[in-house]
Amino acid sequence: MICDCEGTLMTVDDPKVDETPVDVSLLRFLACGSVDDGKSTLIGRLLHETNSLYDDELAALAIDSQRFGTNGADLDYALLLDGLHAEREQGITIDVAYRYFATSRRKFIVADCPGHTEYTRNMASGASTSDLSIVLVDAKSGITPQTRRHTYISALLGIRNIIFAINKMDLVNFDQSRFHTVSTACLEFSQELGVKTAVAIPVSAKEGDNVTAPSGNTPWYKGKTLLEELETAETEANLACSPFRLPVQLVLRPNSAFRGFAGQIASGKIAIGDQVVVATSGVSSSVKQIINQGTSVLEAHAGSSITLVLEDEIDVSRGSLLYSPGQQAPHVADQLQAHLIWFDSDAMIPGRGYVLQTENDSVNATVTSLRYELDLETFAHEVAKSLPQNGIGVCNLSMQRPIAFDAYRENRVTGNFILIDRVTNATVGAGLIDYPLQRAFNVQWQNTSVTKAQRSDLKAQTPTVIWFTGLSGSGKSTIANALENLLHSEGKHTYLLDGDNLRHGLNRDLGFTAADRVENIRRIAETAKLMADAGLIVLVASISPFAAERRFARELMGANEFIEVFVDTPITICAERDPKGLYKKAASGELHNFTGISSPYEAPLKPEIRVDTTSREVGEIALEIRNLLTSRSSKS
């Protein structure tokens, strides 16, 4: 018996009677490939021809086929999967659709994944839990960039069994030579990816050729049908044989007498009396009780959602990873290398911060470097400064604190993560961990005897970073210089970091692309932090066009040690001033990536001070900033 998310029972011979043997295996697979290659139609036909549909579903399909279908009077099987209104209107798959069916030989969970490039994140989500991938390939079009992308992502996500369904053979008159050309290209491509098993099958999802029964239109094909391949495909090794991993999702403490740690076992097995270790701390205890679905059990295996009660009161919290001593231990590090699949329309630029979320833990993280971007046509490692939407690259990441994880190739559950934008909360990328970076163990923070507080006390001032941002020509440097003169006259210890001056030395190797601008601000912010640690009042005058980098600079500092000053001068006034002649060059096309003209400026939403130099004197503005600084210092 198989139960879908709405409790619908589906069987093969009779929708009302479950005759599936209880010991048949389960295969999770996905259908992917380029848009309009027939994924939904193929899965819909599989469901129909394995008698996995109710009469009312067939009746609804007939009605929908007349309203939204593309097959004339025939049933449009794609509509079984394309449930969203937008999908039916456009005839495309947007979200991942999961369906359940069974034959006498095996149970199946199938994910129908979207083909459009903008929905690559959905495809990656479907592939992350699959054992096998059906890659649809249009017999007329052959391999497309999206075919390559989906095949590569399948292999990258640990899928080692791939079926290339060479679809729409009816449109090429079931030509054997065309099938041979396309299938050869597919199999050679998969071999380069290290796929364990790859086969190609000539099919027509629309007409049903070689889907569940051999086709008379392809007498030259002697292989298995698609369904036969699914029924006999090898699945991954039993996770119960892998090292024990329990990502703790929740700490249960309904009363003072009970403290349990809940989560789903990612791999391995656990029994009462077994020892477990908290990965990040190394503290161990033994299992006192295992609760599974409200019942105490003697042992539990991978996939079981359990609550563990330990013999000792040790520090375990949400985000902890428990493992068994004597088995391979997970890695614990604050830096790692990973393959990254980028989803967001804004390119991934090293230096920016995100929230890195694993199966059970989340931590602030920064992509410190992009080692290379992968060319899906040639598999070449291309040097790149940013990763575009749907790009795949290898990156180094640094976390705010150490986390516990495995390499993805060893554990798909504890070896993956997603990156979340800290402002929009949108998922912008998915990562597959390769290994921890060795320097995470070799380089440790060296504590010094003289503290920041002692340095600032010696100067009788509160260290602060005053960050001036605005367009070129807005007056940032002028105001910052006036403020430094004012503070110096009052005996304050200051230093002015001017963006242009720093490009003559510290940042002379950087250009003005988005990636270079991010790195430019990262270096300035880190320098300002060191100077503030020395007890100085640091004034930074830099366009700093991106909100994310200004936020990064703010978060480097302590509470109430950062003041953002938005010099809000209209671009027309800045262009009139044009002290360096830059606006004229940008307008004529001589100067590229110029902020406000050919490169964006993200204005601050909540700066501490907003000033308009068109209506106020520089000295007046400098005095306002000094007064805020004095007010803060008196409260600290």
Side-chain angles (χ1 to χ4, degrees):
M1 183 183 300
I2 301 175
C3 180
D4 69 8
C5 58
E6 296 179 352
T8 305
L9 302 180
M10 292 176 288
T11 58
V12 178
D13 300 318
D14 186 341
K16 300 177 182 178
V17 179
D18 181 12
E19 297 179 351
T20 306
V22 294
D23 59 346
V24 298
S25 61
L26 171 67
L27 178 73
R28 296 174 180 266
F29 70 94
L30 78 153
C32 58
S34 294
V35 64
D36 200 33
D37 277 359
K39 298 176 295 298
S40 298
T41 301
L42 180 68
I43 302 307
R45 180 171 285 279
L46 267 175
L47 293 173
H48 185 208
E49 295 193 358
T50 54
N51 296 322
S52 299
L53 300 175
Y54 283 108
D55 290 340
D56 58 346
E57 287 183 293
L58 287 171
L61 177 61
I63 295 173
D64 288 341
S65 296
Q66 296 303 311
R67 294 179 59 193
F68 304 104
T70 59
N71 293 340
D74 296 333
L75 295 178
D76 189 342
Y77 293 108
L79 298 178
L80 286 169
L81 285 299
D82 294 340
L84 300 178
H85 182 67
E87 292 179 320
R88 296 191 171 197
E89 281 188 334
Q90 301 175 58
I92 63 172
T93 300
I94 295 175
D95 201 1
V96 179
Y98 291 93
R99 293 300 296 257
Y100 309 78
F101 68 100
T103 68
S104 59
R105 304 177 67 180
R106 176 169 273 175
K107 299 177 182 180
F108 302 95
I109 300 177
V110 53
D112 178 32
C113 298
H116 281 74
T117 55
E118 59 264 41
Y119 302 120
T120 298
R121 72 181 69 195
N122 300 28
M123 179 269 159
S125 174
S128 64
T129 57
S130 297
D131 303 305
L132 179 146
S133 179
I134 299 177
V135 180
L136 274 289
V137 184
D138 189 317
K140 291 183 66 177
S141 304
I143 292 181
T144 67
Q146 191 70 337
T147 307
R148 289 178 174 271
R149 180 177 288 108
H150 281 191
T151 305
Y152 183 85
I153 292 175
S154 295
L156 187 63
L157 287 169
I159 296 176
R160 291 294 174 261
N161 298 305
I162 293 181
I163 299 174
F164 290 100
I166 314 302
N167 193 25
K168 303 184 181 181
M169 287 297 298
D170 52 309
L171 299 184
V172 295
N173 298 317
F174 297 95
D175 183 66
Q176 181 180 5
S177 62
R178 180 57 185 168
F179 170 75
H180 177 75
T181 299
V182 176
S183 62
T184 299
C186 291
L187 295 176
E188 289 178 350
F189 176 67
S190 65
Q191 189 174 23
E192 295 177 56
L193 297 177
V195 174
K196 178 181 178 182
T197 303
V199 296
I201 304 174
V203 302
S204 171
K206 179 180 177 182
E207 304 299 334
D209 296 86
N210 292 325
V211 176
T212 61
S215 171
N217 293 315
T218 56
W220 40 266
Y221 174 69
K222 305 301 181 182
K224 298 177 182 178
T225 65
L226 179 66
L227 183 60
E228 288 173 333
E229 285 288 354
L230 293 174
E231 289 179 323
T232 57
E234 292 184 8
T235 57
E236 294 296 319
N238 190 350
L239 287 174
C241 299
S242 303
F244 173 71
R245 298 287 188 269
L246 178 67
V248 177
Q249 295 281 0
L250 187 66
V251 177
L252 300 175
R253 197 171 180 82
N255 55 61
S256 59
F258 183 90
R259 185 165 178 252
F261 310 108
Q264 185 179 60
I265 301 177
S267 60
K269 57 184 177 180
I270 194 72
I272 290 178
D274 287 352
Q275 289 284 312
V276 293
V277 181
V278 183
T280 50
S281 67
V283 177
S284 65
S285 182
S286 59
V287 177
K288 179 180 180 180
Q289 185 181 15
I290 304 172
I291 302 173
N292 187 352
Q293 297 183 352
T295 303
S296 292
V297 296
L298 295 178
E299 64 178 21
H301 300 79
S304 299
S305 295
I306 64 169
T307 298
L308 284 188
V309 179
L310 303 181
E311 291 284 358
D312 307 291
E313 288 286 336
I314 63 175
D315 184 12
V316 181
S317 60
R318 173 179 170 82
S320 297
L321 182 64
L322 303 181
Y323 72 96
S324 295
Q327 299 178 341
Q328 180 178 339
H331 303 293
V332 177
D334 62 0
Q335 297 183 57
L336 56 85
Q337 176 182 295
H339 279 74
L340 187 65
I341 308 170
W342 194 247
F343 301 144
D344 200 51
S345 56
D346 292 334
M348 188 285 293
I349 300 175
R352 285 189 166 166
Y354 305 94
V355 174
L356 185 151
Q357 183 171 307
T358 64
E359 175 75 7
N360 61 311
D361 201 0
S362 62
V363 61
N364 289 338
T366 301
V367 180
T368 55
S369 66
L370 173 58
R371 297 190 59 193
Y372 59 83
E373 180 183 359
L374 187 80
D375 186 324
L376 294 179
E377 290 289 336
T378 64
F379 296 108
H381 296 176
E382 302 287 349
V383 176
K385 290 188 175 182
S386 62
L387 197 61
Q389 185 176 28
N390 298 316
I392 301 173
V394 171
C395 305
N396 291 346
L397 296 98
S398 176
M399 283 80 73
Q400 197 173 53
R401 59 173 171 80
I403 63 171
F405 57 86
D406 289 292
Y408 186 83
R409 65 180 179 276
E410 296 169 354
N411 195 311
R412 294 171 69 178
V413 177
T414 56
N416 79 87
F417 63 86
I418 58 174
L419 292 181
I420 301 172
D421 186 281
R422 296 166 62 186
V423 176
T424 65
N425 208 36
T427 301
V428 293
L432 314 173
I433 300 173
D434 296 328
Y435 48 76
L437 295 177
Q438 193 64 38
R439 63 172 175 269
F441 306 106
N442 295 341
V443 181
Q444 302 293 330
W445 183 266
Q446 180 65 46
N447 292 320
T448 56
S449 299
V450 180
T451 66
K452 177 181 180 180
Q454 291 172 322
R455 298 186 193 101
S456 57
D457 287 345
L458 188 65
K459 297 177 176 62
Q461 63 185 33
T462 301
T464 306
V465 172
I466 305 173
W467 195 284
F468 294 84
T469 178
L471 295 170
S472 177
S474 61
K476 302 180 300 299
S477 296
T478 302
I479 298 172
N481 188 60
L483 176 61
E484 186 176 35
N485 278 325
L486 177 59
L487 295 174
H488 183 73
S489 69
E490 297 176 347
K492 301 299 181 182
H493 299 261
T494 64
Y495 196 86
L496 171 56
L497 294 173
D498 185 85
D500 282 355
N501 292 349
L502 290 173
R503 283 188 176 273
H504 285 277
L506 178 66
N507 296 336
R508 69 184 301 171
D509 61 317
L510 300 176
F512 293 90
T513 63
D516 283 341
R517 288 179 185 275
V518 170
E519 176 60 14
N520 178 56
I521 299 304
R522 188 195 69 80
R523 294 182 189 178
I524 295 175
E526 293 284 3
T527 302
K529 177 188 177 183
L530 292 175
M531 289 186 163
D533 191 60
L536 298 176
I537 297 172
V538 187
L539 295 80
V540 176
S542 173
I543 294 174
S544 46
F546 302 133
E549 279 59 65
R550 297 195 300 269
R551 184 172 63 251
F552 168 77
R554 180 186 293 273
E555 292 172 350
L556 283 178
M557 300 301 298
N560 296 319
E561 292 183 352
F562 188 91
I563 296 175
E564 185 176 44
V565 180
F566 177 25
V567 186
D568 190 9
T569 305
I571 191 171
T572 53
I573 303 300
C574 295
E576 288 176 6
R577 295 173 179 172
D578 206 10
K580 305 169 187 175
L582 301 179
Y583 282 93
K584 291 181 181 178
K585 291 182 179 179
S588 65
E590 297 179 48
L591 193 62
H592 301 290
N593 298 317
F594 188 74
T595 303
I597 302 295
S598 53
S599 184
Y601 177 78
E602 300 171 359
L605 298 178
K606 295 181 179 179
E608 278 75 13
I609 295 179
R610 181 189 299 268
V611 298
D612 183 355
T613 59
T614 63
S615 59
R616 301 178 64 188
E617 295 294 330
V618 172
E620 177 189 353
I621 296 170
L623 188 60
E624 178 188 358
I625 301 171
R626 192 267 279 166
N627 290 341
L628 175 61
L629 182 64
T630 302
S631 173
R632 281 194 171 188
S633 298
S634 63
K635 295 178 182 179
S636 61

